[in-house]
Amino acid sequence: MYCGRHNCYEIMGVSRTATKKEINKTYRKLAKELHPDQNKAADAHEKFELLVAAYETLRNEVSRNNYDYLLDNPDIYMEHFYRFFSHSTPKVDVMPVIISSLIVLSIIHYFHKHSAYNRAIDYALNVPHIRSQAKQLAESERLLDKKFFKGMTKEEQRLQEKKILRDIVESKLDIQGGYQKPEWSDILVFQLLMLPFNLGKLAWFHIKRFYKYTIMKQEFDDEEKDYRTMKVVGLSSTQWEAVSEDKKAALYKKELWFEANKEAYIEERKDLERIAKANSSKYKQQKRMAKKEKVPENWND
């Protein structure tokens, strides 16, 4: 740090009360004398480096004050270490770095959502009832007439039909859930800006629920029944939107908003999962392997 084991004031030949003007003047004079291009002595280079270090320490008011503090308190090493590096480390304004990082992350986030959306649409095209609806709409609008495919190869016709059906799925079919096209409000920066509002909205929603149904003991309305059913089956709001009305109606009949029905439903699901696991080929294979590897009880007889 600073001038190492040497005294910066002694290197420059000035007192601790020397003014900035005196330090600058002394440095210019000594720099001419000790510069390796002018001074051919064997130790000229080392002396010149020490002079530069001393000048850099004393010419700046902050570093000079820190150095004076070191001279007066030589035993507080860690504090001097912090003072030195906190001053010598370049100061960086973090706000431009944060803003730039958010912009880059938002761009990545937006393209990622677009990619996920495209994959979801491709998946929807392979769902039989969605593809059938899209094809019916295309045929009703005469978009699949042979005249539009004239002169095309079979592969070109297949790709053109896929493009037509994809456009219909995107623009005309009501496919909810994970198929929504990304909008500007979905980007990371906007979501971060809206985070306090959304957290407040969520808190208010649960406070109202707690007041209505825990304190006031009111009967569950349709919105609360819907919310509780969604939570019992373990779906997010986006996933719940994708559930068909028939499946929702079947779940509503179970009245899962009541604790007893909820526990019975959870146990039923666990039983079904155990049965499915027991019937799975992977589980049976693991069981056979475990049986083969089991050591007989009388192996040591």
Side-chain angles (χ1 to χ4, degrees), residues 172-278:
K172 297 186 178 180
L173 292 187
D174 182 20
I175 49 171
Q176 297 179 340
Y179 299 102
Q180 290 89 347
K181 192 170 186 177
E183 299 179 355
W184 65 271
S185 58
D186 294 324
I187 64 174
L188 182 62
V189 170
F190 183 83
Q191 289 181 358
L192 287 174
L193 289 173
M194 293 298 293
L195 183 61
F197 172 77
N198 290 332
L199 288 175
K201 188 177 176 182
L202 181 65
W204 178 243
F205 171 72
H206 287 292
I207 289 169
K208 282 199 303 181
R209 288 183 62 242
F210 181 78
Y211 175 76
K212 286 174 69 175
Y213 307 117
T214 303
I215 297 177
M216 302 303 296
K217 307 293 184 183
Q218 295 182 14
E219 290 188 6
F220 300 141
D221 56 18
D222 291 341
E223 182 183 357
E224 183 64 15
K225 291 176 181 178
D226 191 73
Y227 176 78
R228 286 179 178 251
T229 303
M230 177 186 74
K231 288 301 179 184
V232 171
V233 297
L235 298 179
S236 66
S237 57
T238 303
Q239 292 169 327
W240 182 246
E241 287 176 4
V243 176
S244 67
E245 292 302 319
D246 291 341
K247 287 183 179 179
K248 284 183 179 179
L251 287 168
Y252 291 150
K253 285 181 181 178
K254 295 179 183 290
E255 297 185 337
L256 300 177
W257 45 88
F258 293 122
E259 194 65 28
N261 296 345
K262 170 186 170 182
E263 291 177 2
Y265 175 77
I266 292 172
E267 284 302 317
E268 182 185 341
R269 282 180 61 180
K270 287 180 179 178
D271 290 339
L272 290 172
E273 287 173 4
R274 281 193 288 265
I275 293 169
K277 183 180 178 182

Side-chain angles (χ1 to χ4, degrees), residues 39-233:
N39 193 325
K40 302 303 179 183
D43 59 350
H45 184 75
E46 182 183 351
K47 287 183 177 180
F48 183 74
E49 285 186 343
L50 282 172
L51 174 66
V52 172
Y55 177 66
E56 290 296 325
T57 300
L58 302 180
R59 76 187 184 94
N60 181 279
E61 185 177 350
V62 175
S63 62
R64 184 176 180 181
N65 289 337
N66 290 339
Y67 181 65
D68 288 343
Y69 185 77
L70 169 64
L71 294 178
D72 295 333
N73 305 276
D75 298 328
I76 315 176
Y77 178 77
M78 290 306 297
E79 186 176 345
H80 298 317
F81 187 82
Y82 170 76
R83 281 171 169 263
F84 174 76
F85 283 103
S86 64
H87 171 70
S88 59
T89 304
K91 300 295 185 293
V92 178
D93 188 356
V94 295
M95 282 309 295
V97 176
I98 293 173
I99 292 170
S100 301
S101 299
L102 283 175
I103 291 172
V104 172
L105 288 173
S106 296
I107 293 171
I108 294 171
H109 183 236
Y110 182 77
F111 280 108
H112 171 73
K113 288 187 76 69
H114 250 293
S115 176
Y117 169 74
N118 288 329
R119 290 197 302 271
I121 294 298
D122 289 338
Y123 171 78
L125 278 172
N126 293 318
V127 176
H129 76 274
I130 295 177
R131 187 178 183 87
S132 177
Q133 289 180 50
K135 202 162 187 177
Q136 287 175 11
L137 279 171
E139 288 171 348
S140 67
E141 296 179 12
R142 306 183 69 84
L143 297 174
L144 298 179
D145 287 359
K146 290 183 179 180
K147 63 181 180 180
F148 295 117
F149 300 92
K150 194 174 180 180
M152 293 184 182
T153 64
K154 286 186 178 180
E155 180 63 18
E156 288 172 341
Q157 290 178 20
R158 187 185 69 81
L159 293 174
Q160 181 63 17
E161 181 180 328
K162 183 179 179 181
K163 183 179 182 303
I164 292 169
L165 295 180
R166 183 187 175 89
D167 291 341
I168 289 174
V169 168
E170 286 191 76
S171 59
K172 297 186 178 180
L173 292 187
D174 182 20
I175 49 171
Q176 297 179 340
Y179 299 102
Q180 290 89 347
K181 192 170 186 177
E183 299 179 355
W184 65 271
S185 58
D186 294 324
I187 64 174
L188 182 62
V189 170
F190 183 83
Q191 289 181 358
L192 287 174
L193 289 173
M194 293 298 293
L195 183 61
F197 172 77
N198 290 332
L199 288 175
K201 188 177 176 182
L202 181 65
W204 178 243
F205 171 72
H206 287 292
I207 289 169
K208 282 199 303 181
R209 288 183 62 242
F210 181 78
Y211 175 76
K212 286 174 69 175
Y213 307 117
T214 303
I215 297 177
M216 302 303 296
K217 307 293 184 183
Q218 295 182 14
E219 290 188 6
F220 300 141
D221 56 18
D222 291 341
E223 182 183 357
E224 183 64 15
K225 291 176 181 178
D226 191 73
Y227 176 78
R228 286 179 178 251
T229 303
M230 177 186 74
K231 288 301 179 184
V232 171
V233 297

